[in-house]
């Protein structure tokens, strides 16, 4: 009986010694070799095959990958536990989310940075507006747009309802029809017309007062020096050009650069329904509606003083 009590006493003394050594360290105990982060994000785009999200921490002047991840069908990640070397995690000042090619072996992050956040003691709130995010204030008040229906790249008057240009001529002269904040490197704007249910790009652009990157469907005449498109030739499969844009939907989106999809992204900032044929006035500027954008958001928690599980840290 006495021998059994001696064993119990020895065990208690050992535990007390361990607790004392924890108190003497930093209040959390000795930092184990591996800590954990818990990631929660929402409103991210579901990526097609060949593309994936990757998390990064900025720690001691290094940018270190914390691993790749995908989102569910709702663009959400809930309570994803990510093991990270504790010393680096404790020194981390920022967490960044990027889009990466699955075939890219470059150990550095891509230029397509979606959102980021600066760590407090234990957490970082992730935002597209941070310096390592899309870099734009995506509030509805940040954007405005006007467009006119006209096809200047063709001489056929009957085809004038086949063109759309982001021009404001309400003051008597042509000026930029779009007001857009500057985006970070890795992101660009793109406009689309949904023609008979098919989204067709009018081109990608970064400036509202200059031509966009393409005039894929334009006619032979000179195009205005603004974003826009005439749908005169080279129609995609299933469509016929020239067409009639009356009653169709036009939107402006924010897209990654380089792009990974031929479809519009889910970051739609402006939209409008083009007037019906009996109401449309050629060469008159029409206003676009600001869209209440569901921008990607998130939070990451870090636990570098003890091990963490989804159940324990959610």
């Amino acid at each position: 009986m006495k021998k059994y009590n001696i064993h119990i006493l020895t065990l208690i003394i050992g535990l007390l010694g361990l607790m004392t050594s924890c108190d003497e360290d930093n209040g959390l105990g000795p930092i184990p070799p591996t800590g954990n982060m818990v990631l929660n994000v929402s409103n991210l785009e579901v990526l097609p095959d060949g593309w994936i999200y990757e998390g990064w921490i900025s720690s001691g002047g290094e940018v270190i990958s914390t691993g790749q991840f995908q989102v569910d069908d709702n663009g959400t990640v809930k309570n994803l536990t990510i093991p990270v070397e504790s010393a680096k995690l404790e020194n981390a000042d920022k967490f960044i989310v990027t889009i990466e090619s699955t075939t890219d072996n470059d150990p550095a992050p891509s230029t397509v940075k979606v959102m980021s956040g600066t760590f407090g003691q234990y957490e970082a709130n992730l935002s597209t507006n941070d310096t390592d995010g899309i870099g734009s204030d995506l509030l509805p008040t940040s954007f405005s747009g006007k467009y006119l229906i006209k096809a200047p790249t063709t001489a056929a008057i009957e085809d004038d309802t086949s063109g759309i240009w982001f021009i404001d001529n309400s003051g008597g002269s042509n000026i930029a029809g779009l007001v857009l904040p500057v985006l970070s490197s890795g992101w660009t704007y793109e406009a689309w017309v949904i023609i008979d249910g098919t989204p067709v790009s009018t081109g990608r652009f970064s400036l509202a007062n200059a031509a966009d990157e393409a005039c894929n469907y334009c006619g032979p005449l000179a195009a205005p020096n603004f974003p826009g498109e005439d749908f005169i030739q080279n129609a995609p499969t299933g469509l016929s050009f020239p067409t009639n844009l009356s009653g169709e939907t036009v939107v402006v989106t924010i897209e990654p650069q380089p792009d990974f999809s031929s479809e519009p992204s889910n970051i739609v900032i402006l939209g409008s329904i083009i007037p019906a044929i009996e109401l449309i006035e050629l060469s008159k500027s029409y206003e676009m509606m600001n869209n209440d954008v569901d921008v990607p958001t998130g939070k990451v928690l870090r636990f570098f003083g003890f091990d963490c599980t989804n159940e324990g840290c959610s």
Side-chain angles (χ1 to χ4, degrees), residues 168-179:
D168 178 8
N169 63 1
S170 57
S173 60
N174 290 346
I175 62 172
L178 297 171
V179 176

Side-chain angles (χ1 to χ4, degrees), residues 7-26:
H7 284 303
I8 293 293
L9 181 61
T10 301
L11 177 61
I12 292 173
I13 291 172
L15 289 174
L16 287 174
L18 177 61
M19 292 171 64
T20 301
S21 67
C22 291
D23 290 340
E24 290 175 352
D25 185 25
N26 58 5

Side-chain angles (χ1 to χ4, degrees), residues 44-46 70-76:
L44 284 174
E45 187 160 3
V46 178
Q70 290 284 22
V71 296
D72 63 21
D73 291 342
N74 297 314
T76 298

Side-chain angles (χ1 to χ4, degrees), residues 16-125:
L16 287 174
L18 177 61
M19 292 171 64
T20 301
S21 67
C22 291
D23 290 340
E24 290 175 352
D25 185 25
N26 58 5
L28 296 175
I31 297 177
T34 301
N36 287 281
M37 295 190 310
V38 177
L39 178 65
N40 287 275
V41 295
S42 59
N43 296 326
L44 284 174
E45 187 160 3
V46 178
L47 300 178
D49 291 342
W51 299 91
I52 197 164
Y53 291 104
E54 188 162 358
W56 308 79
I57 56 171
S58 173
S59 178
E62 292 183 274
V63 180
I64 304 161
S65 174
T66 62
Q68 298 177 331
F69 64 93
Q70 290 284 22
V71 296
D72 63 21
D73 291 342
N74 297 314
T76 298
V77 168
K78 291 185 177 180
N79 297 331
L80 175 64
T81 299
I82 305 169
V84 182
E85 184 181 332
S86 280
K88 292 181 178 178
L89 183 57
E90 185 178 18
N91 290 329
D93 53 22
K94 179 168 279 194
F95 184 78
I96 304 164
V97 175
T98 65
I99 297 175
E100 304 286 338
S101 168
T102 56
T103 60
D104 181 11
N105 296 320
D106 188 346
S110 77
T111 59
V112 188
K113 297 176 181 178
V114 182
M115 57 183 175
S116 63
T118 300
F119 277 110
Q121 185 174 7
Y122 295 117
E123 69 180 41
N125 291 310

Side-chain angles (χ1 to χ4, degrees), residues 67-259:
Q68 298 177 331
F69 64 93
Q70 290 284 22
V71 296
D72 63 21
D73 291 342
N74 297 314
T76 298
V77 168
K78 291 185 177 180
N79 297 331
L80 175 64
T81 299
I82 305 169
V84 182
E85 184 181 332
S86 280
K88 292 181 178 178
L89 183 57
E90 185 178 18
N91 290 329
D93 53 22
K94 179 168 279 194
F95 184 78
I96 304 164
V97 175
T98 65
I99 297 175
E100 304 286 338
S101 168
T102 56
T103 60
D104 181 11
N105 296 320
D106 188 346
S110 77
T111 59
V112 188
K113 297 176 181 178
V114 182
M115 57 183 175
S116 63
T118 300
F119 277 110
Q121 185 174 7
Y122 295 117
E123 69 180 41
N125 291 310
L126 307 178
S127 169
T128 58
N129 298 334
D130 196 79
T131 52
D132 286 304
I134 295 175
S136 169
D137 182 2
L138 299 185
L139 297 174
T141 53
S142 302
F143 305 93
S144 66
K146 290 185 178 181
Y147 63 92
L148 55 82
I149 299 299
K150 182 76 173 176
T153 67
T154 176
I157 297 175
E158 64 271 21
D159 294 337
D160 267 344
T161 56
S162 292
I164 183 168
W165 297 87
F166 296 95
I167 295 173
D168 178 8
N169 63 1
S170 57
S173 60
N174 290 346
I175 62 172
L178 297 171
V179 176
L180 305 169
V182 175
L183 301 178
S184 296
S185 173
W187 295 91
T188 192
Y189 293 103
E190 189 164 7
W192 310 76
V193 181
I194 317 303
I195 303 175
D196 294 335
T198 300
V200 183
S201 174
T202 72
R204 297 160 70 85
F205 56 94
S206 57
L207 300 175
N209 59 352
D212 54 35
E213 294 179 2
C215 211
N216 292 325
Y217 313 110
C218 291
L221 303 182
N225 198 33
F226 296 97
E229 186 74 36
D230 285 347
F231 300 100
I232 305 300
Q233 57 186 348
N234 306 321
T237 302
L239 297 178
S240 179
F241 292 166
T243 186
N244 186 332
L245 300 181
S246 60
E248 305 288 16
T249 299
V250 55
V251 297
V252 177
T253 62
I254 294 176
E255 303 284 342
Q257 178 110 319
D259 205 351

